[in-house]
Amino acid sequence: MDIVLFGLGQTYKENKGRLSENDQVVALLDNNQETWGTKIDGIVVREPAQIQEIRYDKIVLMSVYASEMRQQLLALGCKARDIVHYKEYICGLSAWEMEVKLARKKPSISDKRCLIITTELGYNGGSIVAIYAAQALQLRGYTTVIATPGGNQAFLEEMRKLGISFIIYKNLAYARREELFWVNDFQFVIVNTLQMICCAIELAKIQKVILWLHEFEEIYRQMSYWKDKIQNAIIGKTLSIYGVSQIAKRNFLKNYLVDKVGILPYGIPDGYVSRTFRKNKKLVFAMIGAIYDVKGQDVFIDAIEAMAGRSNQAVFWIIGKNNSKTSYGHLIEKRIEKYANIRMFGELNREQLFRCYDDIDIFVIPSRYETMSLVATEAMMLGKVCIVSDTVGMGDYIQNYVNGLIFKSGSSQGLSREMLWCMEHSDKLQEIGRCARRTYESNFTLDQFGKRLEEEMLR
């Protein structure tokens, strides 16, 4: 094809090397007037208003502002079918290419077969609850397979050892119905995360699909390019929509008009081991999650600093993948350099993480917004104390100072007060942990999760 690339910012720089060798870039467009008439990568940059002077097959939108750029091109007389988002273009280059990764141990074979479709897999909450969904259904006699566009190879191998099989299909998020013929081998389909909603829409044309949502507002903004397409397609009776929490449900209803969205909480395996709380030691406070402003590592550090001289009576851990090339990741690294009692671990696999869990006394979830919190659920399963912000979905299950602690989102002073309370009332932490464990047993076991999933699939 002859293609035009619209947008010359960071998205262009990161993705220009992923274009098809069979396609010819005939022009570059950008809204920055300073680039007009200059050459970038040997191609003249033109203003968008000149698009009608160019012969092309497709215009590829290379920007996070693709939705606005699409409207701009339509106003200039371009046809909607000739405009494509860069993600659809790049993923589409791998259409029809499939890889199967079978479980390392032989799975049970059943007539009841369920496919779980999810976004790229890695050491994050959305990926792990997809694994738990597969395990929960396996315990109920289902043969389950997870389909994904790809993911962290170490994570995939770790999960294969647990008995999970994977289908790797790079174009999964944007695949057309004819590409998805292999889904006919499964009686039930669960689509995990908003990012895979276009796939859910295609599949809902031919069979019943459960769409399971976890996302916060930022992801909806990132998906705005497809908003009209999604809105027009989610009304059908074959697509059932669920949020993992009330927050997840509200986020979807704020963005789309739909009659009904249910609540479908997850469950996790029980790895509880009874332990006696160790008195007369420094408490270990830990927060776990990728270094990202939404997760609130800065709030955690601010709260530690607000403890003044008391902070040296405790130890603080920050665990999670850090991209120090981002301004936020670099800032977090620099801020903790002067503190001997704040430690960064980086990304850990599941086995390494659970070894760390043994030594953590209080789990801190200072996220500015999070529809649930797998870390909090795992902590409660282990009978540990959690401090969560009031914009975390798990807050719906926590009664302050009974089975956990809650503070106002973004308030480092509030978080600091709760951490100091834990230090001053260490004799009460074991009982709070016991109550947290009972909350897990009442709401989040893998058996309960499997029952909920099966009920919704058979509805």
Side-chain angles (χ1 to χ4, degrees):
M1 294 190 299
D2 288 340
I3 61 174
V4 173
L5 305 182
F6 188 1
L8 299 172
Q10 190 62 31
T11 299
Y12 169 80
K13 294 172 185 174
E14 292 175 354
N15 292 280
K16 63 182 180 179
R18 303 171 69 187
L19 303 175
S20 171
E21 295 179 355
N22 298 320
D23 293 340
Q24 177 70 33
V25 179
V26 296
L28 300 176
L29 303 180
D30 199 84
N31 282 318
N32 182 359
Q33 296 183 22
E34 294 180 1
T35 64
W36 297 347
T38 66
K39 280 191 175 183
I40 293 180
D41 296 324
I43 303 170
V44 175
V45 181
R46 305 175 72 170
E47 61 178 295
Q50 295 178 327
I51 187 64
Q52 296 297 350
E53 302 171 13
I54 304 168
R55 295 184 60 182
Y56 61 87
D57 297 303
K58 294 287 182 184
I59 306 171
V60 183
L61 306 179
M62 306 285 281
S63 174
V64 294
Y65 300 104
S67 182
E68 294 85 347
M69 292 160 69
R70 181 176 184 272
Q71 294 303 317
Q72 181 181 358
L73 290 171
L74 292 175
L76 290 169
C78 299
K79 296 181 174 62
R81 65 174 181 267
D82 296 333
I83 304 169
V84 60
H85 192 283
Y86 76 95
K87 289 184 178 180
E88 288 185 277
Y89 169 83
I90 291 170
C91 291
L93 299 177
S94 301
W96 305 98
E97 297 176 11
M98 178 185 291
E99 181 183 3
V100 177
K101 291 181 176 287
L102 296 176
R104 292 296 189 188
K105 60 181 182 181
K106 187 176 181 180
S108 59
I109 304 301
S110 168
D111 291 336
K112 300 186 296 183
R113 294 174 57 80
C114 180
L115 179 70
I116 298 173
I117 292 173
T118 191
T119 189
E120 290 200 1
L121 293 167
Y123 293 102
N124 56 70
S127 297
I128 293 163
V129 296
I131 299 294
Y132 290 159
Q135 291 178 325
L137 290 172
Q138 285 175 341
L139 291 173
R140 301 193 69 79
Y142 287 78
T143 296
T144 57
V145 175
I146 294 180
T148 173
N152 181 294
Q153 290 304 308
F155 180 85
L156 293 174
E157 288 305 308
E158 190 175 347
M159 297 306 120
R160 289 174 70 195
K161 292 176 183 177
L162 295 179
I164 307 296
S165 294
F166 297 95
I167 294 171
I168 312 297
Y169 194 78
K170 292 182 180 180
N171 194 40
L172 189 59
Y174 311 105
R176 302 302 179 193
R177 182 171 38 176
E178 56 270 20
E179 290 177 65
L180 299 169
F181 65 92
W182 44 274
V183 178
N184 293 331
D185 290 340
F186 299 88
Q187 297 160 277
F188 307 99
V189 178
I190 299 170
V191 176
N192 182 48
T193 76
L194 180 72
Q195 293 94 319
M196 305 305 291
I197 192 171
C198 292
C199 181
I201 288 169
E202 286 296 304
L203 288 173
K205 295 175 182 177
I206 53 177
Q207 66 185 104
K208 181 181 176 182
V209 175
I210 288 176
L211 175 63
W212 192 32
L213 302 164
H214 313 259
E215 286 67 42
F216 52 86
E217 276 295 314
E218 175 60 28
I219 304 300
Y220 285 89
R221 285 191 286 273
Q222 293 174 17
M223 293 291 292
S224 62
Y225 180 81
W226 297 276
K227 185 170 184 176
D228 290 342
K229 174 183 176 179
I230 293 167
Q231 181 61 67
N232 292 334
I234 58 176
I235 308 301
K237 295 181 180 179
T238 53
L239 184 65
S240 300
I241 305 171
Y242 298 86
V244 72
S245 66
Q246 287 289 348
I247 292 175
K249 174 180 176 176
R250 287 198 297 269
N251 286 346
F252 190 80
L253 291 175
K254 277 194 290 186
N255 288 276
Y256 296 100
L257 297 174
V258 63
D259 290 337
K260 182 180 178 183
V261 176
I263 302 293
L264 183 58
Y266 56 65
I268 66 174
D270 192 351
Y272 178 73
V273 177
S274 179
R275 295 178 179 86
T276 301
F277 185 78
R278 291 166 291 176
K279 298 180 180 179
N280 302 318
K281 76 173 191 72
K282 287 187 176 182
L283 294 179
V284 177
F285 294 83
M287 68 163 297
I288 299 159
I291 312 302
Y292 183 39
D293 59 349
V294 168
K295 293 292 186 182
Q297 283 85 4
D298 59 313
V299 178
F300 187 43
I301 298 170
D302 287 344
I304 296 167
E305 292 176 341
M307 296 168 75
R310 299 289 304 278
S311 64
N312 59 10
Q313 298 172 26
V315 177
F316 306 93
W317 292 354
I318 297 174
I319 302 172
K321 184 177 181 180
N322 182 27
N323 182 359
S324 58
K325 293 180 181 178
T326 68
S327 57
Y328 186 80
H330 180 68
L331 173 65
I332 296 301
E333 279 189 349
K334 295 297 291 183
R335 285 192 65 182
I336 70 168
E337 284 180 353
K338 59 184 176 181
Y339 297 106
N341 62 336
I342 305 179
R343 180 181 174 189
M344 285 188 76
F345 283 74
E347 185 175 63
L348 303 179
N349 64 30
R350 298 296 289 167
E351 182 180 347
Q352 293 168 329
L353 189 58
F354 270 82
R355 284 203 298 268
C356 282
Y357 279 6
D358 285 344
D359 295 320
I360 298 170
D361 299 300
I362 296 100
F363 288 72
V364 180
I365 297 91
S367 301
R368 288 180 164 87
Y369 35 84
E370 189 162 346
T371 56
M372 206 60 178
S373 171
L374 181 62
V375 170
T377 313
E378 289 175 340
M380 296 175 90
M381 176 271 291
L382 293 169
K384 303 270 188 169
V385 176
C386 290
I387 304 176
V388 306
S389 78
D390 61 0
T391 50
V392 172
M394 184 57 77
D396 292 342
Y397 298 86
I398 290 180
Q399 185 177 352
N400 214 14
Y401 304 116
V402 176
N403 63 343
L405 292 83
I406 303 177
F407 71 99
K408 185 173 179 57
S409 178
S411 172
S412 56
Q413 292 291 334
L415 175 55
S416 184
R417 283 194 298 271
E418 302 306 343
M419 291 197 293
L420 285 169
W421 186 93
C422 291
M423 293 167 64
E424 293 165 356
H425 299 84
S426 59
D427 58 315
K428 298 182 179 180
L429 299 181
Q430 191 162 9
E431 179 56 30
I432 292 175
R434 290 193 189 102
C435 291
R437 168 70 189 178
R438 289 194 288 272
T439 302
Y440 161 76
E441 292 172 342
S442 299
N443 298 279
F444 299 110
T445 67
L446 209 59
D447 180 60
Q448 291 167 322
F449 186 26
K451 289 178 181 177
R452 289 192 289 261
L453 284 171
E454 187 171 45
E455 287 174 2
E456 300 308 331
M457 291 192 307
L458 298 176
R459 189 180 295 276

